[in-house]
Amino acid sequence: MHHHSHTRATLGGKMSAVLVAAGSSVGLGNIWRFPYVAGDNGGGAFLVIYILCVVLLGLPLMIAEFTVGRATHRNAVGAYQALDRRWSFLGYNGVIAAFLILGFYFVVSGWTAEYMVHSLTGDLARYTTAEEYSSVYENFIRNPWRPLLYTSLFVLATHFIIELGVQKGIERSAKLLMPLLFVILIALSIHSLLMPGGGEGLRFFFRPDFSKVTPQTFLVALGQAFFSLSIGIGTMVTYASYFKPETNLRHTALNVTILDTLVAVLAGVVIFPAVFSVGIAPTSGPSLVFITLPSIFNGMPLSMVWSSVFFLLLVVAALTSTISLHEVVTAYLHEEWHMSRRAAAWTTTLATLALAAVASLSLGVLDGWTICGLTLFDSLDYLTANILLPVGGLFTCLFVGWRLDRKVLKEQITNHGELKFRIYGVFIFLLRYICPAVLLLIFLDNLGLF
Ligand code: PFF
């Protein structure tokens, strides 16, 4: 089972495990999706439920995935194969989900790159009303060529880092980009807090409105937590396969979880005061970031600077996440299909680029092609977030909670007895009972049983 480990890369520095895993977790899910989902679902009340999901389900599952990865030193498929062949489907579920997520995530990432460039050139500052920004956005995403250009650039940037390898590519970029992300986010938060009339936005974001909480809210919070933490998909298995023997898995998971939640909350602090300071109703979805914000930035002094910096933040956050998704597929092809890392990376790049291109066109010229009434873009989002991720999470906790040898689990969590884990009993209880039960409820709900 350990025969691969001596040929494989290992992350170097002390903080590397945290930075690399946080790079995967912190992404468009935090900055683009979390604020509007929270705003739509009761603000502060949602935040409380979200944090419960993160602590009770997300954290144990992340530790579980770390365990599988570091115990085997293999890619997502290889890891389950090494532990119990019958559970390999769990690895395949992850590789397929990573591929499909890249199909739409690369498209939105491309938009952020285009908006960053157009902020820098001043093009984005030429309009005034939200209606104008709305048509700019619609015209852009429906255009057959421009999104493809930016998506391709984004795919190539991801490819380049992956080809550099685990240490020189993934680890080095995380060490550079994650601190940059925090600096930008803090600068933007301060700027936002100083805006006149911003307090109302903060009240909207943080005020617990329990009248908006329904059973559905719990499911929305859980789905958001899984997507945001990059859980249920083999990313954390793959990354942990590069962790050092000394890495403390619990602390790493705890730190990543805290950072991810912090970024989500700060994103809300950046966005909502800005939205309220100009008296625009907080609208949901992509329009919050791609329509409402540019029109707000435009009214501010130094608008070009703030909007360039904001979209740079999105680009950085998205890039460290696309790298992690790409690595899941690349590591699988490299180790299981015995391709060179370079060939594996190119295969992943070309395949995801093709999928992303069709997904991008599905919002414009190909919008007649639908799957169950959804465009390809929306069906990729739906299929992964509502089916593949929860399935992955469910079987991961069943596997680690019930099937995996307890000795292996204990060895990984305590680093062969060197670390203490006082709440091991709580952890096992969550993994064996609470996580599967809650996840099953999600499925039943998705199947329309409630
Ligand atoms: N966690 C990323 C985000 O919040 O944007 C998205 C993501 C990355 C999901 C990697 C799943 C994954 F494996």
Side-chain angles (χ1 to χ4, degrees):
M1 170 163 115
H2 285 284
H3 59 279
H4 272 276
S5 47
H6 60 284
T7 56
R8 283 177 112 249
T10 310
L11 298 172
K14 200 158 190 275
M15 283 293 288
S16 302
V18 172
L19 287 177
V20 161
S24 173
S25 292
V26 173
L28 298 172
N30 303 61
I31 302 169
W32 164 64
R33 196 164 186 270
F34 179 82
Y36 79 78
V37 171
D40 280 348
N41 287 280
F46 181 83
L47 194 58
V48 172
I49 298 168
Y50 177 80
I51 289 174
L52 277 176
C53 291
V54 165
V55 174
L56 297 180
L57 295 138
L59 194 51
L61 264 166
M62 194 181 289
I63 298 172
E65 290 200 20
F66 281 170
T67 299
V68 170
R70 200 179 55 178
T72 56
H73 295 291
R74 303 279 293 274
N75 65 89
V77 170
Y80 289 100
Q81 242 161 26
L83 294 167
D84 182 345
R85 281 200 163 268
R86 287 168 303 173
W87 290 75
S88 325
F89 71 89
L90 196 43
Y92 288 109
N93 180 74
V95 172
I96 292 167
F99 174 68
L100 298 178
I101 289 181
L102 279 176
F104 71 91
Y105 207 90
F106 267 142
V107 176
V108 183
S109 303
W111 299 347
T112 67
E114 145 105 24
Y115 270 67
M116 183 184 80
V117 170
H118 283 226
S119 301
L120 285 169
T121 60
D123 275 349
L124 208 59
R126 291 208 319 257
Y127 311 93
T128 41
T129 63
E131 287 73 46
E132 281 174 303
Y133 280 100
S134 171
S135 64
V136 166
Y137 170 72
E138 292 292 330
N139 286 336
F140 168 59
I141 70 167
R142 303 180 133 271
N143 183 294
W145 302 114
R146 278 163 56 208
L148 282 190
L149 172 69
Y150 283 95
T151 295
S152 309
L153 287 176
F154 211 97
V155 175
L156 287 178
T158 306
H159 174 89
F160 177 68
I161 293 168
I162 289 291
E163 238 204 85
L164 284 175
V166 173
Q167 282 175 351
K168 289 197 181 132
I170 298 175
E171 182 174 0
R172 268 246 230 69
S173 62
K175 282 186 169 162
L176 177 78
L177 296 175
M178 292 312 284
L180 175 67
L181 183 141
F182 276 96
V183 170
I184 298 178
L185 194 58
I186 287 165
L188 284 170
S189 309
I190 294 171
H191 173 250
S192 197
L193 288 173
L194 296 177
M195 239 178 291
E200 202 194 324
L202 286 186
R203 271 193 295 283
F204 172 80
F205 183 44
F206 286 114
R207 188 197 49 225
D209 179 357
F210 285 99
S211 72
K212 289 225 179 117
V213 173
T214 60
Q216 188 71 28
T217 314
F218 289 84
L219 307 174
V220 172
L222 195 83
Q224 173 65 25
F226 274 33
F227 186 80
S228 185
L229 294 171
S230 309
I231 272 180
I233 180 176
T235 305
M236 293 306 178
V237 172
T238 307
Y239 270 6
S241 74
Y242 305 123
F243 286 0
K244 289 189 298 193
E246 304 89 83
T247 299
N248 183 328
L249 298 187
R250 285 169 300 138
H251 285 177
T252 305
L254 185 65
N255 286 329
V256 171
T257 310
I258 291 173
L259 287 176
D260 189 68
T261 308
L262 193 68
V263 172
V265 171
L266 283 179
V269 169
V270 169
I271 290 170
F272 285 108
V275 170
F276 277 81
S277 75
V278 292
I280 294 179
T283 49
S284 62
S287 53
L288 188 61
V289 159
F290 294 105
I291 299 172
T292 315
L293 278 183
S295 67
I296 293 167
F297 283 132
N298 202 13
M300 304 189 315
L302 294 176
S303 69
M304 264 172 70
V305 176
W306 293 114
S307 101
S308 308
V309 168
F310 178 78
F311 286 106
L312 173 66
L313 172 73
L314 280 171
V315 166
V316 167
L319 185 59
T320 50
S321 296
T322 57
I323 290 169
S324 72
L325 290 159
H326 196 296
E327 180 63 21
V328 171
V329 186
T330 299
Y332 161 69
L333 293 176
H334 174 44
E335 291 174 8
E336 302 303 313
W337 290 42
H338 306 291
M339 291 181 177
S340 68
R341 189 171 164 92
R342 197 181 143 84
W346 272 114
T347 307
T348 308
T349 295
L350 295 177
T352 48
L353 185 58
L355 183 66
V358 183
S360 177
L361 294 174
S362 82
L363 297 172
V365 290
L366 296 182
D367 65 1
W369 292 11
T370 57
I371 306 163
C372 304
L374 295 175
T375 61
L376 176 66
F377 181 94
D378 289 330
S379 37
L380 290 174
D381 183 355
Y382 184 88
L383 177 67
T384 52
N386 294 318
I387 301 171
L388 299 182
L389 255 64
V391 168
L394 174 62
F395 285 101
T396 303
C397 51
L398 291 177
F399 179 75
V400 177
W402 295 91
R403 172 65 188 87
L404 184 67
D405 187 349
R406 274 303 167 81
K407 217 177 95 234
V408 175
L409 182 58
K410 268 220 153 113
E411 270 171 14
Q412 287 305 321
I413 293 184
T414 64
N415 289 354
H416 297 266
E418 269 176 32
L419 308 168
K420 290 215 165 19
F421 190 14
R422 288 198 190 78
I423 56 166
Y424 184 74
V426 178
F427 166 73
I428 282 291
F429 179 76
L430 290 172
L431 213 54
R432 291 193 109 173
Y433 302 101
I434 304 298
C435 300
V438 174
L439 282 162
L440 270 175
L441 282 180
I442 295 217
F443 278 123
L444 299 181
D445 181 78
N446 270 328
L447 295 174
L449 294 189
F450 295 129

